[in-house]
Amino acid sequence: MDATVSFTLNGKNVSAETTGATLLVDLLRNHFGLTGAHVGCDTSQCGACVIHVDGVSVKSCTMLAAQADGCTVETIEGLAANGELHPVQQAFHEHHALQCGFCTPGMIMSAVDLLRRNPRPSEVEVRDWLEGNMCRCTGYHNIVKAVRAAAVAMGEEAS
């Protein structure tokens, strides 16, 4: 059964024909060409597909496209503004918080949600929050450093 799903995607109103079984990650990648959300496990274990739906981090491989109807969806491609990296993206770059980069978009999107909720997380809080995001390349040390550095940078921007 086909249906039209309409939502705001990275600040733009969009719509697409989809089936009831289409996952949101597949719609984003295959219909809209936004390939930042990666499919890494197909079981919602790795977090490579994390995006924001109505401002909350969601594993897009566990959400049907039809569930996004009327929502606001933000992907890693929509995070930078006016040609400037988001502070979390910048901190990941500066603190070498990536190696192969496969998990990076999901890590960044999860971290942005954390910092919206908790602008000054401790190292333990960052590690706990990112528990649902797997990185097979790093020991997470630089990822945690990057998130905490982004928290400081975002706090300075707000001052």
Side-chain angles (χ1 to χ4, degrees), residues 123-135:
E123 180 177 338
V124 170
E125 290 170 321
V126 173
R127 288 182 184 278
D128 286 347
W129 186 267
L130 295 178
E131 187 176 47
N133 294 77
M134 292 176 58
C135 176

Side-chain angles (χ1 to χ4, degrees), residues 32-49:
F32 294 108
L34 300 175
T35 57
H38 297 142
V39 179
C41 67
D42 285 330
T43 60
S44 90
Q45 300 297 310
C46 74
C49 67

Side-chain angles (χ1 to χ4, degrees), residues 22-114:
T22 301
L23 296 173
L24 182 54
V25 69
D26 293 328
L27 184 70
L28 294 171
R29 292 177 62 81
N30 301 329
H31 183 80
F32 294 108
L34 300 175
T35 57
H38 297 142
V39 179
C41 67
D42 285 330
T43 60
S44 90
Q45 300 297 310
C46 74
C49 67
V50 172
I51 61 168
H52 295 165
V53 177
D54 292 337
V56 176
S57 54
V58 171
K59 291 181 178 178
S60 60
C61 76
T62 62
M63 184 173 180
L64 296 172
Q67 291 175 289
D69 193 51
C71 294
T72 298
V73 175
E74 184 178 35
T75 68
I76 191 75
E77 291 90 348
L79 203 54
N82 302 318
E84 297 288 324
L85 293 176
H86 185 280
V88 176
Q89 291 173 307
Q90 187 65 40
F92 267 63
H93 172 72
E94 290 173 2
H95 292 274
H96 310 288
L98 60 114
Q99 286 185 14
C100 82
F102 191 82
C103 72
T104 304
M107 287 280 188
I108 289 172
M109 296 303 284
S110 291
V112 168
D113 188 17
L114 167 63

